[in-house]
């Protein structure tokens, strides 16, 4: 098994588009993914696309809010939010919205202190282009916590937004940065409908101590992967298939799933020549007794 890797700066035909018998693997956005699929179609080559998207987090009123806040804070602000499986927004039951926000703020202060810019555990934005993109998203809601930024240091504080309009830019594309919109919903049905009204995400996270609630969310939605009472961990569990669905990608990999994806399951049959009964061959109006006998043999 051989691999070649390329860094795609902009949409263009892959350098390997004339190769036969290969599998394309691409991680990135849908625009370049469509270019990859077009090139692969010319040689009927299979593709694996891991495209991210806006991974929602649903918090039910039965959730352990302290644990949920700590795990969401870790998942969202690790590497300053620049991971494809990070929670992209939170849908929280109105009964527990304020307590959850308080716990989330407590977790951020515990993790990164009053001044996250001086924390050795908090990262920076990858470049100026993404920094400017992210700071432009701050206007999409009211800053509940954070919001401070320093362009010279590529620093954007862990930021929680509330009162976010659903048509705001921060709710349109994957954020891929340290901003977390928190939206209040009336009930679980509204949360499920909200998720289903948008493209299927790479990951979906639900926090609920009520098992029936978690199962209802899982059975009523579609996503590449899902986690109950945690988030972002699924890629490191190699026994789980990892990958998207729809706009968040196609194909599964990691562990055995990766081996199956990148290899061809070639069926091979070795058959003995010791027996070669004529019942197999025409003319089929002969050997009727033998045919009836064979037909009654157990399969």
């Amino acid at each position: 098994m051989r691999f070649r890797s390329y860094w795609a700066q902009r949409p263009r035909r892959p350098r390997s588009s004339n190769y036969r018998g290969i599998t394309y693997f691409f991680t990135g956005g849908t625009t370049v993914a469509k270019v990859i699929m077009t090139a692969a179609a010319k040689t009927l080559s299979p593709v694996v696309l891991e495209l991210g998207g806006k991974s929602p987090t649903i918090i039910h009123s039965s959730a352990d809010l302290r644990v949920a806040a700590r795990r969401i804070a870790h998942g969202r602000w690790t590497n300053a939010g620049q991971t494809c499986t990070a929670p992209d927004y939170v849908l929280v039951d109105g009964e527990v919205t304020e307590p959850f926000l308080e716990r989330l703020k407590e977790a951020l202060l515990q993790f990164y202190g009053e001044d996250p810019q001086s924390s050795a555990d908090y990262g920076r934005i990858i470049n100026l282009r993404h920094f400017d993109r992210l700071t432009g998203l701050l206007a999409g809601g009211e800053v509940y916590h954070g919001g401070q930024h320093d362009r010279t240091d590529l620093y954007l504080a862990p930021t929680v937004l509330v009162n976010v309009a659903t048509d705001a830019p921060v709710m349109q594309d994957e954020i891929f940065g340290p901003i977390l919109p928190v939206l209040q919903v009336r009930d679980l049905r509204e949360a499920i409908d909200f998720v289903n009204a948008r493209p299927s995400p790479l990951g979906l996270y639900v926090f609920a101590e009520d098992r029936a609630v978690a199962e209802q969310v899982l059975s009523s939605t579609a996503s590449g992967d899902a986690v109950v009472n945690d988030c972002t961990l699924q890629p490191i569990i190699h026994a789980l298939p990892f990958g998207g669905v729809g706009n968040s990608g196609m194909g599964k990999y990691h562990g055995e799933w990766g081996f199956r994806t990148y290899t061809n399951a070639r069926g091979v049959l070795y058959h003995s020549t010791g027996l070669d009964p004529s019942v197999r061959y025409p003319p089929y109006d002969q050997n009727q007794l033998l045919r009836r006998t064979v037909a009654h043999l157990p399969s």
Side-chain angles (χ1 to χ4, degrees):
M1 189 183 298
R2 295 178 297 173
F3 295 89
R4 291 194 181 193
S5 61
Y6 300 98
W7 179 262
Q9 295 284 2
R10 62 185 65 85
R12 62 180 176 84
R13 188 176 69 180
R15 280 183 260 178
S16 57
S17 62
N18 292 324
Y19 295 171
R20 267 59 171 185
I22 68 166
T23 296
Y24 290 85
F25 173 84
F26 172 74
T27 178
T30 55
T31 300
V32 177
K34 292 175 182 178
V35 177
I36 300 291
M37 284 199 70
T38 300
K42 294 178 180 178
T43 55
L44 296 180
S45 297
V47 297
V48 180
L49 306 174
E50 195 257 275
L51 308 180
K54 297 186 75 64
S55 297
T57 300
I58 296 174
I59 300 183
H60 186 251
S61 58
S62 69
D64 184 319
L65 298 182
R66 178 181 175 275
V67 172
R70 286 164 57 85
R71 292 179 179 179
I72 291 169
H74 175 261
R76 170 75 275 185
W77 286 287
T78 292
N79 197 38
Q82 296 162 111
T83 60
C84 63
T85 57
D88 202 83
Y89 62 92
V90 174
L91 301 171
V92 57
D93 190 295
E95 292 184 17
V96 296
T97 300
E98 286 304 320
F100 168 72
L101 287 168
E102 292 170 5
R103 300 292 187 278
L104 188 60
K105 183 176 180 178
E106 290 171 4
L108 287 171
L109 291 173
Q110 180 183 3
F111 291 174
Y112 305 114
E114 294 283 353
D115 180 20
Q117 190 170 7
S118 63
S119 170
D121 298 308
Y122 189 70
R124 296 297 185 267
I125 307 306
I126 186 65
N127 56 38
L128 282 173
R129 181 169 66 88
H130 283 289
F131 178 88
D132 292 338
R133 176 185 64 83
L134 288 166
T135 53
L137 298 178
L138 295 176
E142 175 187 336
V143 176
Y144 175 85
H145 178 76
Q148 301 86 0
H149 47 88
D150 180 350
R151 195 171 189 267
T152 60
D153 191 28
L154 293 176
Y155 166 75
L156 176 55
T159 300
V160 179
L161 296 181
V162 295
N163 299 323
V164 179
T166 57
D167 60 352
V170 74
M171 291 301 298
Q172 303 310 305
D173 298 314
E174 182 179 5
I175 295 172
F176 210 75
I179 302 170
L180 183 65
V182 176
L183 291 79
Q184 180 175 304
V185 293
R186 292 185 304 273
D187 51 30
L188 185 63
R189 185 71 259 169
E190 183 181 0
I192 290 173
D193 290 344
F194 190 95
V195 171
N196 287 337
R198 288 154 179 78
S200 299
L202 179 62
L204 182 148
Y205 312 119
V206 54
F207 287 82
E209 292 301 296
D210 187 333
R211 179 67 176 269
V213 167
E215 293 302 323
Q216 182 180 352
V217 172
L218 295 176
S219 64
S220 303
T221 58
S223 62
D225 298 292
V227 182
V228 177
N229 287 326
D230 214 325
C231 57
T232 73
L233 290 181
Q234 67 273 25
I236 67 174
I237 310 299
H238 282 187
L240 291 176
F242 179 70
V245 60
N247 265 35
S248 60
M250 64 181 67
K252 301 293 182 179
Y253 59 107
H254 285 183
E256 180 184 348
W257 294 86
F259 179 82
R260 291 181 179 275
T261 294
Y262 297 119
T263 57
N264 172 49
R266 183 186 184 189
V268 177
L269 171 67
Y270 287 88
H271 200 178
S272 169
T273 59
L275 291 175
D276 191 36
S278 60
V279 67
R280 171 180 175 178
Y281 306 108
Y284 294 120
D285 59 350
Q286 298 181 11
N287 302 312
Q288 292 299 315
L289 178 60
L290 181 56
R291 289 182 184 284
R292 287 194 293 271
T293 303
V294 171
H296 287 86
L297 292 176
S299 59

